[in-house]
Amino acid sequence: EVQLLESGGGLVQPGGSLRLSCAASGFTFSTHGLTWVRQAPGKGLEWVAWISGGDGSANHADSVKGRFTISRDISKNTLYLQMNSLRAEDTAEYYCAKVGWNMGRVFDSWGQGTQVTVSS
Amino acid sequence: QTVVTQEPSFSVSPGGTVTLTCGLTSGSVSTGYFPSWYQQTPGQAPRLVIYNTYTRSSGVPDRFSGSILGNKAALTITGAQAEDECDYYCVVYLGRDFNWVFGGGTKLTVL
């Protein structure tokens, strides 16, 4: 059974940094892409970043490009999201999800999320 | 910038049929965008319903179906149940540079 468990959320001041983690199990971590999706309070879902299985190439949404960095540690089966220069509009629930590439680029398993609040 | 459109809200009677759509402000949604659909109830993570345009996720009742209608992806619920009342999101894969875009979501009321 695929399990994804996010951690690292919390309250941070504007301009600050935070690193989210997503511990994965139940699948071959090194060969599957993973993604981060966020949801601001009362708002819809927003894709944030993706990292590929295999070579670990990555991409980020324009709204976070240059501030956030997705990465992974294959030895720990853990996905990360380093968030720098945080803004109030980054306040959201952050979900990690596994990408079923051969199923049609789909986010086929999700974690339960971790809350990030950016406020002074 | 690509914007994915969804109806903000929809209402259906119990046992009725409803079709939610997922479009683009410029262009058409085709199977090449790999549209998928998610349910979300308050306080919960999204749950995959339909992927790769047509395929139901494991455990999803067969009253849910996906299709392309005209220039949009569509999610149809045939015989809506009270437990289908929640938010529905579509997402499309843009392909270039590995980008995905979610629609704004549709709040479905079964009443």
Side-chain angles (χ1 to χ4, degrees), chain B residues 42-106:
Chain B
Q44 298 296 314
R47 173 201 180 199
L48 178 63
V49 180
I50 297 287
Y51 62 94
N52 206 8
T53 309
Y54 305 107
T55 307
R56 266 190 311 277
S57 183
S58 176
V60 172
D62 61 7
R63 63 179 179 272
F64 290 87
S65 62
S67 64
I68 298 291
L69 289 181
N71 62 352
K72 297 181 180 182
L75 173 70
T76 300
I77 308 173
T78 304
Q81 307 285 313
E83 60 262 32
D84 300 334
E85 182 168 293
C86 64
D87 296 327
Y88 290 84
Y89 293 92
C90 72
V91 63
V92 299
Y93 173 67
L94 296 187
R96 59 180 185 274
D97 298 328
F98 305 98
N99 276 295
W100 287 260
V101 180
F102 281 93
T106 297

Side-chain angles (χ1 to χ4, degrees), chain A residues 44-55:
Chain A
L45 301 170
E46 179 188 13
W47 173 75
V48 173
W50 161 86
I51 189 165
S52 72
D55 68 1

Side-chain angles (χ1 to χ4, degrees), chain A:
Chain A
E1 178 193 4
V2 173
Q3 291 195 348
L4 299 165
L5 183 62
E6 302 93 337
S7 61
L11 175 63
V12 60
Q13 292 189 338
S17 297
L18 210 55
R19 188 178 80 160
L20 305 184
S21 300
C22 172
S25 61
F27 64 98
T28 307
F29 184 83
S30 60
T31 61
H32 281 82
L34 293 160
T35 195
W36 288 98
V37 174
R38 69 183 179 181
Q39 187 170 35
K43 303 296 185 182
L45 301 170
E46 179 188 13
W47 173 75
V48 173
W50 161 86
I51 189 165
S52 72
D55 68 1
S57 53
N59 192 31
H60 302 77
D62 288 344
S63 58
V64 306
K65 200 165 286 186
R67 300 187 299 122
F68 291 11
T69 303
I70 189 172
S71 65
R72 63 180 182 170
D73 186 333
I74 292 174
S75 68
K76 296 182 179 179
N77 278 12
T78 300
L79 174 73
Y80 301 103
L81 186 67
Q82 177 66 44
M83 305 187 294
N84 299 330
S85 303
L86 282 161
R87 306 166 180 168
E89 55 264 36
D90 297 318
T91 294
E93 188 82 9
Y94 284 74
Y95 299 97
C96 65
K98 172 178 159 290
V99 181
W101 194 258
N102 293 331
M103 292 167 58
R105 323 304 190 244
V106 63
F107 307 150
D108 60 6
S109 298
W110 295 65
Q112 283 305 302
T114 187
Q115 176 67 38
V116 172
T117 302
V118 184
S119 174
S120 54

